[in-house]
Amino acid sequence: MAIDYALEERLVIVQARIGAAAYKAGRDASSIRLVLASKTQPSEAIRAAWEAGARDFGENYVQEAIAKRAELADLTDIRWHLIGHLQTNKAKTAAGAFELIHSVDSVRLAEALARAQPSPRVHALIEVNLGAEASKTGVAPEKVAAILDAAREKIEVDGLMTIPPPTRSAEGARPYFARLRELRDRLATQSGYALSELSMGMTDDFEVAIEEGATMVRIGRAVFGERIA
Ligand SMILES: *Cc1c(COP(=O)(O)O)cnc(C)c1O
């Protein structure tokens, strides 16, 4: 397959920006994982990104992810993440298909994942809705402790994820990223659970997210280009 130099260049630029943001924050760049948000991208684009060195890909829809996984079955070291909302009735299909599910937002969903795959236990993040928008998925910050308590008996909860409400600038997202980190720190102290992963930051604000402690950034447009769909 021909090398997609434009995509490779965009990937290298994003990796350099991650490195610079980490340096500015006094962090080790290797502590930040780049997850490419590949929704609506054809499997050829994912393959091109893999050839350029990317390994982690985040999909929003279970069926779309599974179809692409089948097409890319020869890429044995690829890691699939589910970053979109997961309905409980899809839990069974999703449980064994992803390295990490970023969007657990109810005990019912955690139970369904545990039933579908008791061992090895599913790894997941709890999605927190910091903007209190009724239309958004994720749990309210004050409910996270209760969900964590119940969910950790069923699945491995590795940390927290958030999608901040739209802001006019990257700086506008900073308070949300800081709140997710503070919530994590508080919960980790209370529960004795590490909760080491913070999945936050996208194309428009990932550098700010890294300054605030992101361990996973989910980036689509900056690498794949603007979405057509
Ligand atoms: C699409 C998407 C992203 C990436 O968004 P970009 O602005 O393209 O970087 C990150 N997280 C989730 C949950 C998404 O759906």
Side-chain angles (χ1 to χ4, degrees):
M1 175 178 172
I3 295 172
D4 184 340
Y5 288 107
L7 187 147
E8 186 169 354
E9 185 178 346
R10 291 192 297 267
L11 179 64
V12 167
I13 289 168
V14 165
Q15 284 163 338
R17 287 173 60 188
I18 290 172
Y23 182 79
K24 186 177 166 194
R27 299 182 56 198
D28 189 340
S30 67
S31 68
I32 299 144
R33 203 185 317 188
L34 169 59
V35 178
L36 292 188
S38 48
K39 58 175 176 267
T40 78
Q41 298 297 332
S43 38
E44 296 76 58
I46 296 175
R47 183 180 293 279
W50 181 88
E51 282 175 359
R55 290 295 176 268
D56 291 270
F57 294 87
E59 288 283 338
N60 287 59
Y61 306 101
V62 176
Q63 297 310 332
E64 183 181 336
I66 287 184
K68 290 178 189 174
R69 217 166 78 117
E71 287 168 5
L72 299 166
D74 57 310
L75 309 182
T76 50
D77 61 352
I78 197 167
R79 291 182 291 265
W80 294 98
H81 300 243
L82 185 68
I83 61 175
H85 179 61
L86 177 59
Q87 289 172 316
T88 306
N89 63 9
K90 300 259 172 64
K92 198 170 174 186
T93 321
F98 299 97
E99 171 105 359
L100 183 67
I101 294 173
H102 293 227
S103 51
V104 166
D105 60 359
S106 71
V107 176
R108 221 160 60 90
L109 178 55
E111 283 167 351
L113 288 167
R115 262 197 312 280
Q117 188 184 292
S119 161
R121 289 175 13 141
V122 170
H123 282 258
L125 308 178
I126 296 178
E127 181 179 349
V128 186
N129 179 352
L130 294 169
E133 300 144 287
S135 61
K136 274 265 193 79
T137 53
V139 293
E142 60 274 16
K143 292 195 179 139
V144 178
I147 294 204
L148 177 64
D149 250 1
R152 60 195 268 202
E153 293 174 9
K154 329 260 179 214
I155 58 174
E156 298 295 329
V157 181
D158 294 345
L160 306 179
M161 179 270 224
T162 199
I163 307 169
T167 53
R168 250 179 301 166
S169 67
E171 278 304 321
R174 187 185 296 277
Y176 296 100
F177 297 145
R179 277 173 61 197
L180 194 73
R181 172 174 38 79
E182 288 157 12
L183 178 63
R184 187 278 308 277
D185 291 349
R186 202 160 61 239
L187 291 170
T189 307
Q190 281 167 10
S191 68
Y193 225 48
L195 300 174
S196 52
E197 304 291 351
L198 287 176
S199 170
M200 56 189 195
M202 315 197 283
T203 288
D204 291 330
D205 53 24
F206 69 89
E207 283 131 325
V208 172
I210 289 169
E211 287 171 27
E212 294 300 331
T215 63
M216 293 185 181
V217 289
R218 310 176 309 268
I219 296 178
R221 289 170 298 136
V223 171
F224 289 115
E226 291 295 326
R227 280 183 290 278
I228 298 147

